[in-house]
Amino acid sequence: ANPFAEATAVSLLDAAAVRWPRGEAIVFGDERITFADFRARAVELARGLATLGIGHGDKVAVWLPNRPAWFVIQQACARLGAVVVALNPRYRSHELSYILAQSDAVALLLTDHLGPVDYFETLHEVLPELAHAAPGELEAAKFPTLRHVIVDAEDPYPGCHRLGDIVGAGLLRPGPDDVFTLLYTSGTTSFPKGAMITHRNCVPHGWNCGERLRITERDRVLHALPAPGTWGGVNIPLTTWSHGASDIQQHAV
């Protein structure tokens, strides 16, 4: 029987952290994150997001390249019952603008640079109000629900919280039928459509895939697909972590 048939991504990681606390959940360059540390980071960030007022059902847009922070954010949001809106790191201003508005995002989490790509150059085309806003008090007519912009960088930016500065307390456990992530796909139209993926949609599937592939805690899975996609952000990590294997992350383009 599938032990995660009624599980959430949260309870999957909790179980892995108990069973394989010193096992390497994520390897990214020289960074090695154990299951226990992965869980601890997610809990800490969830508490921080809760202090910003982010909670059950809120949409958090994640505009990051593949890196451990992407999956820590995904797990932190799941612990609050918030929904990750996965944004392609190569989006242009019109794509970013459309999805931020269409998804009713309350927060946007991004990095500042990826190689030659300047994220804030694009962001300021979409959110000119950000340069004059206080962190957490953004008011933009095109995005009436958007209040927070959080940047995963050392440098401070006007109107933004720094990811490393967010701390706090307060968690709400999600249920299997809560939405885990919102993935946008162009499908048969020119405008992307948001596909709602619940914990029940993906967590049991991840375990089943791991069983079929005979993955064990001794295995290491090379992960080079984009995190905003179904495979890169859902299938590969859940398949890997449900069996205690290591997710070896690479930058995806």
Side-chain angles (χ1 to χ4, degrees):
N2 188 332
F4 298 112
E6 299 293 326
T8 65
V10 172
S11 56
L12 184 150
L13 179 57
D14 288 347
V18 170
R19 187 172 180 182
W20 305 289
R22 296 184 178 85
E24 292 179 348
I26 299 174
V27 177
F28 184 71
D30 294 332
E31 188 174 8
R32 296 173 180 270
I33 303 173
T34 66
F35 282 102
D37 186 37
F38 183 16
R39 180 186 183 278
R41 293 188 192 192
V43 169
E44 183 179 12
L45 180 56
R47 290 172 175 159
L49 294 175
T51 66
L52 300 182
I54 295 172
H56 189 272
D58 286 335
K59 311 301 192 303
V60 178
V62 179
W63 196 30
L64 287 175
N66 283 25
R67 58 178 58 175
W70 204 105
F71 295 96
V72 172
I73 294 158
Q74 185 187 57
Q75 274 281 333
C77 287
R79 287 172 189 275
L80 297 172
V83 180
V84 165
V85 179
L87 302 178
N88 190 309
R90 297 294 183 179
Y91 275 160
R92 303 302 185 190
S93 58
H94 68 284
E95 296 163 316
L96 177 64
S97 180
Y98 174 78
I99 293 179
L100 285 179
Q102 204 276 338
S103 67
D104 292 327
V106 303
L108 170 64
L109 204 150
L110 74 158
T111 189
D112 52 358
H113 295 92
L114 174 60
V117 179
D118 186 332
Y119 279 67
F120 277 91
E121 182 177 305
T122 302
L123 183 61
H124 285 309
E125 293 180 28
V126 174
L127 275 176
E129 302 91 341
L130 182 65
H132 307 290
E137 300 178 13
L138 177 66
E139 293 187 5
K142 290 173 61 178
F143 313 104
T145 62
L146 188 61
R147 289 290 177 267
H148 303 284
V149 177
I150 305 166
V151 58
D152 182 21
E154 294 296 325
D155 295 333
Y157 288 90
C160 300
H161 309 279
R162 287 194 306 180
L163 181 61
D165 292 339
I166 298 175
V167 294
L171 300 177
L172 173 68
R173 299 286 291 190
D177 292 315
D178 284 327
V179 177
F180 176 48
T181 190
L182 191 59
L183 300 178
Y184 273 79
T185 172
S186 59
T188 56
T189 67
S190 59
F191 287 102
K193 299 181 292 295
M196 297 185 293
I197 309 297
T198 68
H199 294 267
R200 195 188 300 274
N201 290 148
C202 59
V203 175
H205 176 71
W207 185 86
N208 283 328
C209 287
E211 287 292 288
R212 181 58 61 92
L213 295 172
R214 299 180 182 178
I215 291 177
T216 74
E217 66 271 21
R218 297 183 298 276
D219 291 322
R220 307 172 84 76
V221 178
L222 181 63
H223 183 177
L225 290 174
T230 306
W231 277 100
V234 179
N235 290 356
I236 292 173
L238 293 179
T239 295
T240 303
W241 297 330
S242 65
H243 288 73
S246 299
D247 188 33
I248 314 299
Q249 295 183 5
Q250 301 288 321
H251 283 299
V253 296

